[in-house]
Amino acid sequence: MVPHNMNSCKSKHCFIHQTGFVAIVGILCLLRPPYHAASAESTYEHRNLLTQKKITTLSRSLPLPFTQKNKFPDDMSNTISHYAMWHTELGKAYGLRAEMSIWGSQNEEYSQESGAAIQMYCQDDGGKYSLIEAGFHVSPSLYHNRDVRFFTYSTKDTKSPGCYNLQCTGFVPASGAALLPGQAIAPQSSYGETDRYIRLSLNKDPNSKDWVLYRHDLDAPSFLGHFPGQLCPGTLQIQALTGFVNYLRNTQGPPMGSGHFPDDEDEKKSAYFKHVKIYDSKGHAWDPITTHMVPLVDKEDCYNETDFTVKINRGYIFYYGGPSGCIG
């Protein structure tokens, strides 16, 4: 496994929403360098978090062509989910890389989840979709605290229950990885004061055909593990960079990102996906100059996102988020 080269781009681009909305790309501005976030062990027994088989957590609702929720036995279809994402159209895809800002949510309730992830929706020959993803979230019902944690998730059929972390056969962690599924992350971003991020990539290995996960913001890239290729079968995928929230019906939604609507001028106030790269079939990462990106925000009065744009020192980037209190 080797790191991939990063390429700079100064091109302007327009990406057109499938329903006709237009996002103008090409706004350029300066950025002060942010700080990196590091992993931290929780005060809870880490091994138990990774191997527990039965949990109480929220179901994962799937956007894009998918309307049915993943149903956990304790929760059934009683979950409301909202998304702020940019995604590719259905086609041949090989992976994404991005810097993901790290935001906590100290007031998050047991019945809430919020986070951000790199996602791959994979269509098999029968037209069914599976999902693999990796990112960071706050999920009190899963971990019994409000730590920000690195997570992985997979489901072989988006209409069936899936698995977080190492609950079932899915993501395979690497020995000595810089992050393990379920591991706590610290420090976090602080509104108006500090910007913390971790850079992740999820891409299809051209040799093994597995989907490999790397962390790139350390002194050298760290191989975190892989999703076996059979979890993401077929030749057609939809790639997404997604901020999300989940909460139980008849309650209010948690904050997404920083807990504020996105501000594309200040990374200390807004959650983001930054320095976005897209992978080719040979495992090389490139700026998404010619990639058609599509926005999706399903509850704009609660959560929103900015244009997918290119900025000096930030590369291809978008911001997302919203406050707590969403109803419906």
Side-chain angles (χ1 to χ4, degrees):
M1 307 296 179
V2 296
H4 303 292
N5 294 327
M6 297 182 64
N7 301 290
S8 61
C9 173
K10 300 181 181 178
S11 300
K12 294 185 178 180
H13 243 20
C14 282
F15 302 98
I16 302 177
H17 190 289
Q18 57 193 359
T19 57
F21 295 101
V22 178
I24 306 300
V25 179
I27 303 173
L28 303 176
C29 65
L30 298 176
L31 167 68
R32 288 174 290 182
Y35 298 95
H36 301 269
S39 59
E41 292 296 332
S42 169
T43 57
Y44 289 80
E45 178 61 37
H46 184 61
R47 184 179 300 274
N48 289 340
L49 290 176
L50 296 180
T51 59
Q52 66 185 115
K53 297 296 183 181
K54 296 182 68 175
I55 62 167
T56 301
T57 189
L58 299 177
S59 63
R60 299 300 303 276
S61 178
L62 303 176
L64 307 169
F66 323 119
T67 57
Q68 185 170 347
K69 301 180 190 302
N70 284 326
K71 298 177 180 179
F72 287 91
D74 63 309
D75 191 57
M76 299 306 289
S77 60
N78 195 33
T79 303
I80 294 175
S81 302
H82 296 305
Y83 294 84
M85 66 158 66
W86 281 85
H87 66 86
T88 62
E89 296 178 315
L90 182 63
K92 291 184 177 180
Y94 302 96
L96 290 169
R97 185 170 82 196
E99 290 174 6
M100 303 168 63
S101 55
I102 306 298
W103 290 92
S105 181
Q106 292 304 311
N107 297 320
E108 193 148 314
E109 298 178 3
Y110 188 83
S111 60
Q112 298 174 333
E113 178 193 19
S114 61
I118 298 175
Q119 300 177 317
M120 298 290 159
Y121 297 90
C122 309
Q123 186 185 66
D124 65 17
D125 295 337
K128 293 183 178 180
Y129 285 89
S130 59
L131 168 66
I132 58 175
E133 65 177 311
F136 307 95
H137 68 167
V138 177
S139 180
S141 64
L142 180 58
Y143 306 108
H144 310 294
N145 59 40
R146 296 178 178 84
D147 292 344
V148 180
R149 292 179 180 270
F150 169 65
F151 80 94
T152 60
Y153 181 87
S154 63
T155 175
K156 294 182 179 179
D157 183 345
T158 55
K159 295 183 179 181
S160 303
C163 294
Y164 281 98
N165 302 332
L166 305 183
Q167 294 168 350
C168 63
T169 303
F171 183 74
V172 180
S175 176
L179 282 175
L180 291 173
Q183 189 169 343
I185 305 297
Q188 308 162 13
S189 298
S190 177
Y191 187 78
E193 296 180 0
T194 55
D195 167 32
R196 312 287 186 181
Y197 70 84
I198 289 177
R199 184 185 301 149
L200 294 181
S201 68
L202 178 60
N203 70 285
K204 191 170 187 176
D205 183 273
N207 297 314
S208 69
K209 308 304 179 183
D210 293 330
W211 290 83
V212 294
L213 185 64
Y214 276 85
R215 179 177 180 177
H216 295 270
D217 56 286
L218 304 176
D219 291 338
S222 175
F223 177 51
L224 303 184
H226 71 277
F227 292 95
Q230 61 265 30
L231 291 180
C232 189
T235 58
L236 298 178
Q237 290 83 30
I238 295 173
Q239 306 177 121
L241 300 169
T242 306
F244 63 86
V245 299
N246 296 301
Y247 57 100
L248 294 181
R249 199 174 301 279
N250 299 322
T251 65
Q252 295 185 354
M256 180 189 290
S258 69
H260 295 77
F261 285 111
D263 178 352
D264 64 2
E265 296 300 325
D266 195 343
E267 274 102 63
K268 296 178 181 179
K269 295 182 178 180
S270 293
Y272 60 77
F273 288 88
K274 183 169 60 175
H275 289 295
V276 176
K277 301 284 184 178
I278 193 162
Y279 284 83
D280 64 20
S281 61
K282 298 180 179 179
H284 300 136
W286 306 90
D287 286 317
I289 302 171
T290 59
T291 303
H292 183 203
M293 298 293 290
V294 181
L296 173 60
V297 178
D298 71 318
K299 187 71 172 174
E300 292 185 1
D301 56 331
C302 293
Y303 310 104
N304 218 323
E305 64 185 20
T306 65
D307 293 344
F308 185 78
T309 166
V310 61
K311 293 178 178 287
I312 293 176
N313 295 330
R314 307 182 213 189
Y316 281 85
I317 183 172
F318 73 94
Y319 303 81
Y320 67 92
S324 60
C326 187
I327 300 176

